[in-house]
Amino acid sequence: VPVYLDHNATTPLHPQVLEAMMPLLSGPPANGSSVHRYGRAARGALDRAREQVAALIGAEPGEIIFTSGGTESNNLALLGQTAGQTPGRLALSRIEHESVLQPSLWLAEHGWTIDLIDVDSHGRVTTEHLRAALHADTRLTAVMLANNQTGVLQDVAALAELNAERGVPLHCDAAQAAGKIPVDFRALGVQTMTLSAHKLYGPQGVGALVVDKRVELAPLLRGGGQERGLRSGTHNLAGIVGFGAAAQLAADELARREHHLRRLRDALEQRLSELPSVVVFGQAAARLPNTVQFAVRGFAGETLLMQLDREGFAVSSGSACHSGVNEPSHVLAAMGVPTELALGAVRVSLGIDNTDNEVQSFADALRKVIGRIPAAVALLADA
Ligand SMILES: Cc1ncc(COP(=O)(O)O)c(C=O)c1O
């Protein structure tokens, strides 16, 4: 079996999460909207999961809106807060995930003006960058907490303070941060925050939007009125219970996980530093403990990915592959990384089950792959 080093894409389901979900998958039917005892049991399970998720990020249970995942949460935050308003300006960082960028582009087609917030060469949004993107009629801003490609963290609390002075709400996509580093909804001072269960050893297809009580939000889905009318539809109860269990485990094990991941990450970067042709992106910035995005000068990322796959390592790149044409990552482009180098991006995202041995053998395999293919050929192979 290949060594899985792609945990920012998705994490395996934790055995204890599966255990928590099993009674809901194989047990009696349970709809939280029903009056009978099965319904009551479902409501109890929902309440508990809501408390567990809220506790992970220091929010009130009443501030958690369960959704189908990070993508829906980001859409709800952006489209739900702008709905019904006369179009104004929306500011978002250049390095946001597609699930923030795409709904913003849709808003742009419907009269909104989008101001893209720059980042510095390390991938950080400074308060100066944010200030430059804010205008008198800016209605909403979005800055993610941790970038999925580079792992670079933003000083969201400082940005939220600047927003607060102007009374502009800040949406924060914390899908990659939650479960890897401490995240405190209150301390960050943001108005809405996105979470996704499958980034923290929970199931796919479930997430949450954390919504400050003062935020006015219109639903994307209307119907039975679940989730305070903000997200109608019968709950994905097993998924939500799994999310709750995963959040509880993440909270309980956070310090241990963070320490383990950072140790492995540092060992990997030590080995990478011995390869003169390797460049690590965002290395000078505060980053997630599990993520290393790098490029090997002269090598196309896709070539490295395929070769590493052959050697038994599952990693990802940073560039999106659209209809066979490689495009450099918009995140690296925003950081001013030259296109040739950005096309060489490889992302390693470690998980709690990875070992020292796996990291060392990955570094050995990379060295072998680089030594085997002359760089010019590696580039050609990808053309
Ligand atoms: C930063 C970020 N936001 C949002 C998402 C989307 O989450 P989901 O896969 O739950 O829709 C992802 C996952 O790819 C992500 O990395």
Side-chain angles (χ1 to χ4, degrees), residues 225-258:
Q226 289 88 346
E227 298 298 290
R228 293 191 282 117
L230 289 170
R231 208 290 186 170
S232 283
T234 299
H235 290 103
N236 168 9
L237 192 59
I240 290 170
V241 165
F243 185 13
Q248 166 105 51
L249 273 169
D252 292 347
E253 295 182 359
L254 192 61
R256 202 168 60 74
R257 288 184 182 185
E258 212 183 338

Side-chain angles (χ1 to χ4, degrees), residues 29-98:
N31 185 329
S33 303
S34 307
V35 176
H36 49 64
R37 70 187 61 188
Y38 294 133
R40 274 202 304 280
R43 279 196 294 284
L46 266 176
D47 288 346
R48 182 167 149 70
R50 205 181 297 283
E51 284 164 16
Q52 289 169 316
V53 171
L56 175 65
I57 43 106
E60 299 289 328
E63 291 173 313
I64 305 293
I65 307 293
F66 285 119
T67 66
S68 66
T71 299
E72 184 185 332
S73 298
N74 282 335
N75 273 266
L76 178 58
L78 268 62
L79 303 179
Q81 284 184 88
T82 51
Q85 289 194 34
T86 47
R89 302 182 87 105
L90 173 67
L92 53 126
S93 88
R94 288 187 183 276
I95 60 168
E96 294 300 307
H97 188 263
E98 290 294 335

